Amino acid sequence: MLALAIVEIVTPLINLFFTAKILDALLDAEQRKYIFSLAILTVFINLVCVLLRHGLDQMRTYFRAKIAQESDNTVAEKFTSISYELMENPQTRGNYVKYHNYDMWYGGVFMVVEHFFTMVQEGGGLLVSGGLILRLFSLAAVGGRGGLLGFFDSPFASMLLLAVFFTSIVINFRADADSASAGLAYEKSMESKNRKFSYYAFELPNDYHFGKDIRLYHIAELLNDELDTFFQASHLQRAGYTQNVIKNDSFSIAATTFSIGFSYIFIVMKAILGTITTGAIVMYMGIAANFSSGISRFNAVISELHLCSQMILPFRNIINLSSPTEQGCLPLQKSTEAQYEVEFRHVIFRYPGADTPVLKDISFKIAKGQHLAVVGLNGSGKTTMIKLLCRLYDPNEGEILINGRDIRSYNLQDYLALLAVVFQDFQLFSFSVGQNVAVDRNYDPKRVWQCLAQAGIEERVRSMPHGLETILYSFLDAGGIEISGGEAQKLAIARALYKDAPIIILDEPTASLDPLSENEIYTHLNEMITGKTAVFISHRLSSCRFCDEILVVDEGRIAQRGSHDALLAEESGLYFKMWQTQASYYK
């Protein structure tokens, strides 16, 4: 970029210099014999400059793409490494949307680099042009002259031209600064609107998961109304910003034109005085025009650089994120033979920004190898307990213990290796079936097939075109296979089984399964997780009969605890009411 800037500075000056030399040679009989050599030299130097410019420009294009990829990759790595709590933060998500919009509409991170070196180029051009103009000021005519010619031969004319250039600089700077401020204000006013536009124009229409509802409920009309509202508001704000830019540009153009005009008069007068040759007139006029327009371009690029540096802040905010999750240092080795006791001790938790706690003084133990079911009404705090156990969040008060130690004291990756989890809103990815189950490129096919069989989906996978190598979904591969919700849930269970962790956590693991598949899954699970600590969250109370003990959560507190038969005996309890309500549909 620096080399390209130097070539861009030198090329026009070389042409002006050689044009002046050729013109002088035409007017001087003794110098005419050099015209042909000067012309060849001019063509050769121009060829070298063009080739250099082309090669450097291709390198710039290459590095622009590379920087774009690197910045996107950096953002992706940051989002996969920060804590879940920080990722869920609205400010973090807002920074990502702003980064994406900046990248899409303004060229991304590279534009800061490009504008910086354009500033170097324009600044270097101003210095060279300014130096040559100062040399013109030092040239004086032989002999005194009076009147207007005498004035232009005096230092006062040079001082006046300097004053004109200085005034042009000030006007251009003020105009461009005002345009840049207006641009920042416009972009700030559009932030929330751009987030809505991205959601309505790109995310919803292009994601086929929303396609059924969009068509069946005629949501397209609502989307179009929202987009029309966006465009109307955007056009009004853009019109105000454009008017401001036109006004400032008018002042800038007028000041530049006046400075060029006055400098031309100055140069012509110097030629009349005999201070410069005819060829030098062409050279100095080109230099003066370059200098005057360069002032405008230099101020404009400073404003653009300022604007881009402000708009790149979301990218900097993202890459400077640091995970607030407390990182312990105690090692913790996963062992299939070891057993782990889990304890919640006076745990209180509220989500960031919320006033009311979701969990209110929760205390219980899960003995080594025990299978515990957690039930309760929607919003009672069941899934939140699992998020805390998985260290997606940390308690506001109290502590969670594994074998008597606070889980925050353990090395985080060692601790997470103990857990195999199937969340209620689990996700499969557009990888192969084998990679989805093993979460690894180099997986054990025999073991994957075993887990698929235990999860009740082996036959379905064997019927797929490429077996374990079949790609799921068509996001990245046109030949990707679409699977049902129940099949996806079975694959998620197979993934948890493949991890072979000593603590199994299943949050609504059979919500999308039919009763026969559900019974098959629980039968296999009981066989496979014998000796392991397990937590089941389910609204289907029939699944609780497979567990050693049941925990009933109500409004963030433990309302009941006991076996299935013991809780049914408490007819005034919540568990009895839930059981009777579900059972009534089967009577």
Side-chain angles (χ1 to χ4, degrees), residues 562-574:
S563 66
H564 171 73
D565 293 333
L567 292 177
L568 278 185
E570 299 179 21
E571 296 187 4
S572 60
L574 177 60

Side-chain angles (χ1 to χ4, degrees), residues 98-146:
K98 286 188 277 188
Y99 163 72
H100 177 73
N101 287 335
Y102 169 66
D103 189 61
M104 181 170 58
W105 298 113
Y106 294 95
V109 176
F110 182 80
M111 292 311 295
V112 174
V113 181
E114 186 160 280
H115 286 315
F116 174 78
F117 281 105
T118 303
M119 180 188 69
V120 171
Q121 174 186 322
E122 297 297 344
L126 282 177
L127 288 174
V128 174
S129 300
L132 292 172
I133 290 173
L134 287 175
R135 183 175 178 275
L136 176 64
F137 294 160
S138 66
L139 299 176
V142 179
R145 296 288 183 96

Side-chain angles (χ1 to χ4, degrees), residues 150-161:
F151 171 75
F152 275 98
D153 194 34
S154 69
F156 297 108
S158 299
M159 292 173 62
L160 181 59
L161 182 56

Side-chain angles (χ1 to χ4, degrees), residues 124-416:
L126 282 177
L127 288 174
V128 174
S129 300
L132 292 172
I133 290 173
L134 287 175
R135 183 175 178 275
L136 176 64
F137 294 160
S138 66
L139 299 176
V142 179
R145 296 288 183 96
L148 186 62
L149 287 175
F151 171 75
F152 275 98
D153 194 34
S154 69
F156 297 108
S158 299
M159 292 173 62
L160 181 59
L161 182 56
L162 283 174
V164 169
F165 282 141
F166 179 77
T167 304
S168 178
I169 290 171
V170 171
I171 292 174
N172 274 279
F173 180 79
R174 291 288 299 273
D176 290 324
D178 189 57
S179 293
S181 298
L184 285 173
Y186 169 73
E187 291 300 329
K188 190 171 182 60
S189 69
M190 291 298 295
E191 283 178 2
S192 61
K193 296 182 180 67
N194 284 333
R195 283 198 294 271
K196 290 181 180 179
F197 175 74
S198 296
Y199 181 69
Y200 293 135
F202 299 115
E203 294 180 32
L204 288 184
N206 297 323
D207 191 337
Y208 69 84
H209 289 104
F210 297 104
K212 298 187 291 293
D213 294 287
I214 287 174
R215 284 154 180 78
L216 293 175
Y217 289 97
H218 305 291
I219 296 176
E221 296 179 11
L222 180 59
L223 290 177
N224 288 331
D225 288 342
E226 291 291 344
L227 287 172
D228 286 340
T229 302
F230 165 81
F231 286 129
Q232 289 172 11
S234 174
H235 292 331
L236 285 173
Q237 288 182 280
R238 185 74 187 183
Y241 166 63
T242 303
Q243 288 174 0
N244 185 288
V245 172
I246 291 172
K247 179 192 71 174
N248 289 319
D249 284 351
S250 298
F251 286 120
S252 178
I253 291 168
T256 301
T257 304
F258 182 78
S259 64
I260 291 174
F262 189 82
S263 62
Y264 280 3
I265 294 171
F266 182 87
I267 292 166
V268 169
M269 288 299 183
K270 285 290 186 181
I272 292 172
L273 287 166
T275 305
I276 57 176
T277 64
T278 305
I281 294 175
V282 176
M283 183 179 71
Y284 280 116
M285 280 188 171
I287 290 169
N290 245 354
F291 184 76
S292 297
S293 59
I295 291 169
S296 178
R297 294 194 303 270
F298 182 72
N299 284 319
V301 78
I302 287 179
S303 298
E304 287 291 331
L305 180 59
H306 176 62
L307 181 64
C308 284
S309 67
Q310 293 299 308
M311 293 179 64
I312 209 174
L313 284 176
F315 172 74
R316 297 183 63 186
N317 290 338
I318 291 170
I319 63 175
N320 288 331
L321 287 172
S322 58
S323 181
T325 304
E326 187 177 338
Q327 301 283 343
C329 57
L330 289 178
L332 185 61
Q333 296 297 323
K334 182 178 81 171
S335 171
T336 54
E337 297 179 358
Q339 292 184 322
Y340 300 88
E341 179 185 79
V342 179
E343 180 181 0
F344 277 62
R345 184 180 293 173
H346 302 295
V347 170
I348 298 174
F349 176 75
R350 65 179 61 83
Y351 284 100
D355 298 324
T356 306
V358 179
L359 300 180
K360 306 163 186 175
D361 197 19
I362 294 285
S363 295
F364 65 91
K365 276 187 180 182
I366 309 174
K368 297 177 181 179
Q370 184 183 24
H371 300 167
L372 178 73
V374 182
V375 301
L377 302 177
N378 288 333
S380 59
K382 306 184 300 297
T383 299
T384 301
M385 290 167 55
I386 300 307
K387 287 181 178 179
L388 294 178
L389 184 57
C390 295
R391 292 216 63 195
L392 297 177
Y393 291 93
D394 286 329
N396 300 119
E397 297 180 39
E399 55 187 350
I400 302 171
L401 312 172
I402 291 286
N403 290 350
R405 283 187 178 274
D406 192 316
I407 60 175
R408 287 171 287 198
S409 64
Y410 292 114
N411 176 277
L412 181 60
Q413 297 307 315
D414 287 352
Y415 173 71
L416 294 179

